[in-house]
Amino acid sequence: MRDRSGERDEDAQAFYGRWARLYDLLARRTPGIAALRARAADACRLERGDTVVEMGCGTGANLPYLAERVGPEGTVIGVDFTEPVLRRAQALTADYPHVQVVRGDATAPPLERCDAVLATFVTGMLEKPACAVDDWCGLVGPGGHVVLVNAASSEAWYAPPVNALFHAVVVLSTPPTTRLRYERDPRRLLDGRISSAHARLRERSAALAHETHTGGVVRLTGGRVR
Ligand SMILES: C[S@@+](CC[C@H](N)C(=O)[O-])C[C@H]1O[C@@H](n2cnc3c(N)ncnc32)[C@H](O)[C@@H]1O
């Protein structure tokens, strides 16, 4: 019998599979998103020849930024568990032979070692986000970099209208059956998961970059692992 996390994963895959095309448009064309993806790739502190893994790469919007930074002598691996989004990621990166996309679980990635891990808008979907961050820190080892980008409720003084809009986006963009199983407030669950992931990365890192964007809703934390 499937457990609830298995069902949730299937719901997420069905949701992102169905909406892959629309998601791809949002992921690459939302105003300001290109600059944010460039900032996230910069925070990975990549050098030419490095190997970088993107967990939950979706339709691949970050992959070209990573590919440019590691150069053809490096390797970029995008991991996602949803087949239709991976097909789009593959098409998007067809001109970069050093980019591979693989189907796999970001919480048990089919990899042994890399120089950096990037995860954008993914940790809020994981049941145990802090454990996933621990695993990613283990994958890069001391001196490697882990970078998280997530949207969570803003803590800014002008937060109420920004957060109301954010709440609507969360409800609309959460796989529906998963949303029903969230207690009463999907935003609170998402905020908790994201806070715990970013806090764990802070604990595990010797040097940190932290920025907020989009009225404080988008948080970017990059850490050099101890
Ligand atoms: C909101 S999208 C973000 C995609 C991409 N990182 C971006 O910034 O556009 C979340 C993606 O994470 C994937 N995902 C969620 N949980 C996952 C898991 N445990 N393993 C692999 N992929 C996962 C989904 O399939 C989906 O493509």
Side-chain angles (χ1 to χ4, degrees), residues 54-222:
E54 185 185 356
M55 302 296 179
C57 65
T59 54
N62 291 313
L63 299 176
Y65 296 90
L66 300 173
E68 297 292 345
R69 282 157 181 76
V70 299
E73 60 273 55
T75 305
V76 180
I77 303 171
V79 177
D80 202 290
F81 64 14
T82 305
E83 192 65 49
V85 299
L86 280 181
R87 283 199 292 274
R88 287 194 165 264
Q90 216 146 24
L92 182 70
T93 55
D95 291 340
Y96 297 97
H98 58 299
V99 175
Q100 306 160 22
V101 297
V102 295
R103 188 160 191 214
D105 187 342
T107 62
L111 305 157
E112 284 183 357
R113 204 88 191 145
C114 61
D115 299 295
V117 166
L118 171 64
T120 63
F121 308 114
V122 173
T123 37
M125 296 180 65
L126 306 179
E127 286 271 297
K128 295 180 179 163
C131 294
V133 170
D134 277 336
D135 291 345
W136 300 341
C137 290
L139 204 58
V140 301
H145 288 85
V146 175
V147 176
L148 306 176
V149 177
N150 285 296
S153 299
S154 172
E155 286 156 10
W157 61 268
Y158 48 78
V162 175
N163 287 340
L165 183 64
F166 174 57
H167 189 187
V169 171
V170 169
V171 170
L172 290 173
S173 63
T174 306
T177 47
T178 313
R179 187 197 334 148
L180 288 177
R181 285 184 203 124
Y182 287 173
E183 281 110 59
R184 264 187 228 120
D185 185 351
R187 195 182 78 191
R188 193 188 304 171
L189 178 63
L190 187 71
D191 286 350
R193 288 180 176 179
I194 287 166
S195 295
S196 75
H198 286 246
R200 182 59 58 88
L201 181 56
R202 283 195 294 275
E203 285 162 25
R204 298 285 311 254
S205 301
L208 276 172
H210 184 75
E211 323 176 343
T212 59
H213 299 260
T214 327
V217 164
V218 175
R219 303 175 192 177
L220 184 160
T221 303

